[in-house]
Amino acid sequence: MLNPEYIGFFAATLTTSAFLPQAYKIWKSKTADGLSLTMYAVMGTGTLCWFIYGVLIQSHSVIVANAVSISIIIFIITFILRSKK
Amino acid sequence: MLNPEYIGFFAATLTTSAFLPQAYKIWKSKTADGLSLTMYAVMGTGTLCWFIYGVLIQSHSVIVANAVSISIIIFIITFILRSKK
């Protein structure tokens, strides 16, 4: 039987990668104009809850995926807040 | 002990909601100009893998969250493809 964690980590790689082009664009342009703070605040809170959920059900894929996503989202939110100044 | 599924469903509501403003904007404007097909294709494939992972580890939160997300992502991808014509 296929280990579900393989599929989980593959899923994690894909859904986390989907944030990277946005983060890269911000890094290159040094600005986050046009991005919604509300969306990323909601996404960040949701991702934090997924992380807690992962710890509770002891799913490595869910824990790692959301830990990485939270880091990227905090990076994006930091730039959105800086752009607002 | 708190049922992890409560946290999971709360997390699911937040991370799924984060896609809704984008879907609503597309619905209102009837166009998806400026959205990256690659990003949504990667996100959609990843979400599908999370769905399969949820079935394998029998997590209701992961199954429901990703089933709803897949529907929204398919909606967005349909509009991106239509806009490209």
Side-chain angles (χ1 to χ4, degrees), chain A residues 8-9 11-13 15-16 47 51 59-70, chain B residues 50:
Chain A
F9 273 107
T13 308
T15 50
T16 306
T47 306
F51 177 80
S59 157
H60 293 126
S61 303
V62 174
I63 294 171
V64 174
N66 289 290
V68 175
S69 293
I70 288 170
Chain B
W50 274 124

mmCIF file of all heavy atoms in Angstrom, chain A residues 8-9 11-13 15-16 47 51 59-70, chain B residues 50:
data_model
loop_
_atom_site.group_PDB
_atom_site.id
_atom_site.type_symbol
_atom_site.label_atom_id
_atom_site.label_comp_id
_atom_site.label_asym_id
_atom_site.label_seq_id
_atom_site.Cartn_x
_atom_site.Cartn_y
_atom_site.Cartn_z
ATOM 1 N N GLY A 8 0.916 13.238 0.418
ATOM 2 C CA GLY A 8 0.813 14.464 1.206
ATOM 3 C C GLY A 8 1.961 15.412 0.930
ATOM 4 O O GLY A 8 1.756 16.611 0.737
ATOM 5 N N PHE A 9 3.179 14.882 0.876
ATOM 6 C CA PHE A 9 4.335 15.752 0.631
ATOM 7 C C PHE A 9 4.337 16.289 -0.800
ATOM 8 O O PHE A 9 4.718 17.435 -1.042
ATOM 9 C CB PHE A 9 5.656 15.033 0.946
ATOM 10 C CG PHE A 9 6.030 15.160 2.391
ATOM 11 C CD1 PHE A 9 5.916 14.092 3.264
ATOM 12 C CD2 PHE A 9 6.474 16.383 2.903
ATOM 13 C CE1 PHE A 9 6.236 14.225 4.614
ATOM 14 C CE2 PHE A 9 6.798 16.522 4.247
ATOM 15 C CZ PHE A 9 6.677 15.443 5.107
ATOM 16 N N ALA A 11 1.593 16.869 -2.507
ATOM 17 C CA ALA A 11 0.560 17.904 -2.448
ATOM 18 C C ALA A 11 1.117 19.171 -1.810
ATOM 19 O O ALA A 11 0.907 20.286 -2.310
ATOM 20 C CB ALA A 11 -0.636 17.395 -1.643
ATOM 21 N N ALA A 12 1.858 19.000 -0.717
ATOM 22 C CA ALA A 12 2.444 20.136 0.004
ATOM 23 C C ALA A 12 3.380 20.930 -0.904
ATOM 24 O O ALA A 12 3.361 22.154 -0.926
ATOM 25 C CB ALA A 12 3.194 19.637 1.232
ATOM 26 N N THR A 13 4.224 20.198 -1.667
ATOM 27 C CA THR A 13 5.168 20.860 -2.562
ATOM 28 C C THR A 13 4.427 21.713 -3.585
ATOM 29 O O THR A 13 4.787 22.864 -3.834
ATOM 30 C CB THR A 13 6.031 19.809 -3.294
ATOM 31 O OG1 THR A 13 6.594 18.943 -2.312
ATOM 32 C CG2 THR A 13 7.139 20.451 -4.090
ATOM 33 N N THR A 15 1.131 22.927 -3.504
ATOM 34 C CA THR A 15 0.347 24.071 -3.009
ATOM 35 C C THR A 15 1.248 25.147 -2.403
ATOM 36 O O THR A 15 0.916 26.320 -2.449
ATOM 37 C CB THR A 15 -0.741 23.636 -1.992
ATOM 38 O OG1 THR A 15 -0.173 22.813 -0.984
ATOM 39 C CG2 THR A 15 -1.839 22.848 -2.672
ATOM 40 N N THR A 16 2.398 24.744 -1.864
ATOM 41 C CA THR A 16 3.333 25.746 -1.352
ATOM 42 C C THR A 16 4.013 26.484 -2.505
ATOM 43 O O THR A 16 4.147 27.709 -2.472
ATOM 44 C CB THR A 16 4.396 25.084 -0.447
ATOM 45 O OG1 THR A 16 3.715 24.343 0.565
ATOM 46 C CG2 THR A 16 5.279 26.110 0.213
ATOM 47 N N THR A 47 -3.888 29.048 7.702
ATOM 48 C CA THR A 47 -2.712 28.189 7.607
ATOM 49 C C THR A 47 -2.205 27.822 9.005
ATOM 50 O O THR A 47 -1.814 26.671 9.254
ATOM 51 C CB THR A 47 -1.612 28.910 6.796
ATOM 52 O OG1 THR A 47 -2.178 29.310 5.547
ATOM 53 C CG2 THR A 47 -0.441 28.007 6.535
ATOM 54 N N PHE A 51 -1.847 24.129 10.654
ATOM 55 C CA PHE A 51 -0.624 23.681 11.313
ATOM 56 C C PHE A 51 -0.976 23.017 12.652
ATOM 57 O O PHE A 51 -0.503 21.908 12.955
ATOM 58 C CB PHE A 51 0.314 24.881 11.515
ATOM 59 C CG PHE A 51 1.581 24.548 12.249
ATOM 60 C CD1 PHE A 51 2.644 23.955 11.580
ATOM 61 C CD2 PHE A 51 1.712 24.821 13.600
ATOM 62 C CE1 PHE A 51 3.818 23.635 12.248
ATOM 63 C CE2 PHE A 51 2.883 24.507 14.283
ATOM 64 C CZ PHE A 51 3.934 23.915 13.606
ATOM 65 N N SER A 59 0.005 14.551 11.518
ATOM 66 C CA SER A 59 0.270 14.376 10.094
ATOM 67 C C SER A 59 1.492 15.191 9.703
ATOM 68 O O SER A 59 1.466 16.425 9.732
ATOM 69 C CB SER A 59 -0.942 14.844 9.277
ATOM 70 O OG SER A 59 -0.529 15.175 7.968
ATOM 71 N N HIS A 60 2.581 14.506 9.342
ATOM 72 C CA HIS A 60 3.808 15.222 8.986
ATOM 73 C C HIS A 60 3.614 16.126 7.780
ATOM 74 O O HIS A 60 4.123 17.237 7.736
ATOM 75 C CB HIS A 60 4.939 14.218 8.722
ATOM 76 C CG HIS A 60 5.337 13.492 9.957
ATOM 77 N ND1 HIS A 60 5.371 12.124 10.036
ATOM 78 C CD2 HIS A 60 5.677 13.949 11.187
ATOM 79 C CE1 HIS A 60 5.738 11.770 11.262
ATOM 80 N NE2 HIS A 60 5.919 12.859 11.974
ATOM 81 N N SER A 61 2.861 15.620 6.774
ATOM 82 C CA SER A 61 2.654 16.427 5.562
ATOM 83 C C SER A 61 1.981 17.740 5.905
ATOM 84 O O SER A 61 2.400 18.807 5.445
ATOM 85 C CB SER A 61 1.757 15.692 4.563
ATOM 86 O OG SER A 61 2.296 14.449 4.247
ATOM 87 N N VAL A 62 0.911 17.678 6.710
ATOM 88 C CA VAL A 62 0.146 18.883 7.046
ATOM 89 C C VAL A 62 1.021 19.849 7.853
ATOM 90 O O VAL A 62 1.019 21.062 7.606
ATOM 91 C CB VAL A 62 -1.153 18.522 7.810
ATOM 92 C CG1 VAL A 62 -1.874 19.780 8.277
ATOM 93 C CG2 VAL A 62 -2.080 17.695 6.931
ATOM 94 N N ILE A 63 1.808 19.321 8.800
ATOM 95 C CA ILE A 63 2.678 20.168 9.624
ATOM 96 C C ILE A 63 3.713 20.896 8.768
ATOM 97 O O ILE A 63 3.802 22.125 8.792
ATOM 98 C CB ILE A 63 3.402 19.329 10.715
ATOM 99 C CG1 ILE A 63 2.382 18.779 11.720
ATOM 100 C CG2 ILE A 63 4.472 20.157 11.427
ATOM 101 C CD1 ILE A 63 2.960 17.767 12.705
ATOM 102 N N VAL A 64 4.474 20.133 7.970
ATOM 103 C CA VAL A 64 5.552 20.737 7.179
ATOM 104 C C VAL A 64 4.992 21.711 6.143
ATOM 105 O O VAL A 64 5.476 22.845 6.007
ATOM 106 C CB VAL A 64 6.404 19.646 6.485
ATOM 107 C CG1 VAL A 64 7.431 20.273 5.554
ATOM 108 C CG2 VAL A 64 7.101 18.782 7.529
ATOM 109 N N ALA A 65 3.949 21.292 5.414
ATOM 110 C CA ALA A 65 3.363 22.138 4.372
ATOM 111 C C ALA A 65 2.953 23.488 4.939
ATOM 112 O O ALA A 65 3.256 24.537 4.368
ATOM 113 C CB ALA A 65 2.151 21.452 3.757
ATOM 114 N N ASN A 66 2.288 23.467 6.098
ATOM 115 C CA ASN A 66 1.760 24.718 6.627
ATOM 116 C C ASN A 66 2.826 25.549 7.329
ATOM 117 O O ASN A 66 2.739 26.782 7.329
ATOM 118 C CB ASN A 66 0.545 24.428 7.509
ATOM 119 C CG ASN A 66 -0.637 23.995 6.666
ATOM 120 O OD1 ASN A 66 -1.208 24.808 5.942
ATOM 121 N ND2 ASN A 66 -0.988 22.713 6.701
ATOM 122 N N ALA A 67 3.844 24.903 7.866
ATOM 123 C CA ALA A 67 4.958 25.664 8.446
ATOM 124 C C ALA A 67 5.652 26.471 7.345
ATOM 125 O O ALA A 67 5.935 27.664 7.511
ATOM 126 C CB ALA A 67 5.950 24.730 9.131
ATOM 127 N N VAL A 68 5.900 25.826 6.181
ATOM 128 C CA VAL A 68 6.540 26.527 5.069
ATOM 129 C C VAL A 68 5.622 27.641 4.554
ATOM 130 O O VAL A 68 6.059 28.784 4.335
ATOM 131 C CB VAL A 68 6.911 25.553 3.933
ATOM 132 C CG1 VAL A 68 7.473 26.302 2.737
ATOM 133 C CG2 VAL A 68 7.906 24.517 4.421
ATOM 134 N N SER A 69 4.331 27.319 4.388
ATOM 135 C CA SER A 69 3.378 28.324 3.886
ATOM 136 C C SER A 69 3.303 29.533 4.810
ATOM 137 O O SER A 69 3.274 30.677 4.342
ATOM 138 C CB SER A 69 1.974 27.728 3.736
ATOM 139 O OG SER A 69 1.962 26.766 2.718
ATOM 140 N N ILE A 70 3.283 29.290 6.122
ATOM 141 C CA ILE A 70 3.213 30.406 7.073
ATOM 142 C C ILE A 70 4.414 31.332 6.889
ATOM 143 O O ILE A 70 4.262 32.550 6.866
ATOM 144 C CB ILE A 70 3.155 29.891 8.542
ATOM 145 C CG1 ILE A 70 1.781 29.270 8.831
ATOM 146 C CG2 ILE A 70 3.422 31.021 9.538
ATOM 147 C CD1 ILE A 70 1.712 28.535 10.168
ATOM 148 N N TRP B 50 -4.030 16.815 -2.143
ATOM 149 C CA TRP B 50 -4.447 16.941 -0.734
ATOM 150 C C TRP B 50 -5.754 16.187 -0.509
ATOM 151 O O TRP B 50 -5.948 15.560 0.529
ATOM 152 C CB TRP B 50 -4.668 18.405 -0.339
ATOM 153 C CG TRP B 50 -3.437 19.127 0.102
ATOM 154 C CD1 TRP B 50 -2.952 20.288 -0.446
ATOM 155 C CD2 TRP B 50 -2.540 18.793 1.162
ATOM 156 N NE1 TRP B 50 -1.815 20.669 0.220
ATOM 157 C CE2 TRP B 50 -1.539 19.778 1.201
ATOM 158 C CE3 TRP B 50 -2.484 17.749 2.088
ATOM 159 C CZ2 TRP B 50 -0.497 19.760 2.136
ATOM 160 C CZ3 TRP B 50 -1.437 17.724 3.011
ATOM 161 C CH2 TRP B 50 -0.463 18.711 3.025
#
